[in-house]
Amino acid sequence: MAPYPTPRFEAKVCAPADLDARLAELPRPIVFTNGCFDILHRGHVTYLAQAAALGASLIVAVNTDASVRRQGKGDDRPINPLESRAAVLAALESVALVTWFDEDTPAELIERVKPDVLVKGGDWTIDRIVGSAETLARGGAVHSIPFLFDTSTTATLNKIRASEGRA
């Protein structure tokens, strides 16, 4: 067996059961965002870097595979399983911690984390962002970050399917 160490970024993946202890270790202000992050693209990494710049620690909560399937994104979604999606996100410099949720929304997780800053992408208006009212009531901030790049996982998958004659 080769003496290669486990990559350090793997330590940024945190099971929800371990979240409370890990939260105590993070510098504040804490920024929270969530999503499927199925096939990571330029739009995702740009958005995550912008979100991270709003605080000291960015927590990304990822939908479980079952939660993604309930969103109706397609029978074959997610393409990548939770463990892979979490690890790829954790490898990003902008991300401090990655966890996950199985519910249809991250409302319970947001209330547990109590982020100083809550963020979603530009396709979400602040009044539609889950947890926005509670975050604002605590004195936190809520941001809807406009997209800089016209990219989407769904569009990428449609292009792949069309090239395979499966459109």
Side-chain angles (χ1 to χ4, degrees), residues 33 41 68 76 90 107 115 118 133 149 156 160:
T33 194
H41 53 67
V68 172
D76 60 349
L118 181 61
F149 301 99
T156 300
I160 292 167

Side-chain angles (χ1 to χ4, degrees), residues 50-70:
Q50 290 174 307
L54 298 172
S57 301
L58 174 62
I59 297 175
V60 180
V62 183
N63 295 74
T64 62
D65 297 351
S67 179
V68 172
R69 283 190 290 276
R70 289 192 304 271

Side-chain angles (χ1 to χ4, degrees), residues 10 85-86:
E10 293 281 356
R85 292 181 286 126

Side-chain angles (χ1 to χ4, degrees), residues 7-164:
R8 286 194 304 245
F9 68 78
E10 293 281 356
K12 294 195 291 184
V13 177
C14 175
D18 301 327
L19 191 56
D20 295 337
R22 297 292 297 275
L23 282 172
E25 300 169 357
L26 293 177
R28 293 193 86 98
I30 290 177
V31 179
F32 181 100
T33 194
N34 66 280
C36 300
F37 299 102
D38 193 5
I39 298 177
L40 215 56
H41 53 67
R42 186 178 188 183
H44 286 136
V45 298
T46 300
Y47 161 75
L48 292 169
Q50 290 174 307
L54 298 172
S57 301
L58 174 62
I59 297 175
V60 180
V62 183
N63 295 74
T64 62
D65 297 351
S67 179
V68 172
R69 283 190 290 276
R70 289 192 304 271
Q71 290 185 0
K73 291 179 176 274
D75 294 341
D76 60 349
R77 299 286 299 275
I79 299 297
N80 291 300
L82 172 64
E83 296 79 12
S84 295
R85 292 181 286 126
V88 170
L89 286 163
L92 298 175
E93 180 182 357
S94 59
V95 176
L97 198 67
V98 179
T99 192
W100 55 89
F101 62 99
D102 191 47
E103 299 76 19
D104 291 340
T105 75
E108 290 178 26
L109 192 55
I110 292 168
E111 278 309 294
R112 189 167 161 200
V113 171
K114 294 187 177 8
D116 303 291
V117 182
L118 181 61
V119 182
K120 284 294 281 180
D123 53 341
W124 289 86
T125 57
I126 289 177
D127 61 308
R128 289 183 46 239
I129 297 173
V130 171
S132 63
E134 296 81 0
T135 301
L136 292 168
R138 280 194 303 276
V142 180
H143 296 267
S144 175
I145 297 178
F147 296 128
L148 289 182
F149 301 99
D150 185 22
T151 55
S152 84
T153 300
T154 300
T156 300
L157 288 172
N158 288 340
K159 185 175 180 180
I160 292 167
R161 289 175 181 131
S163 73
E164 294 175 343

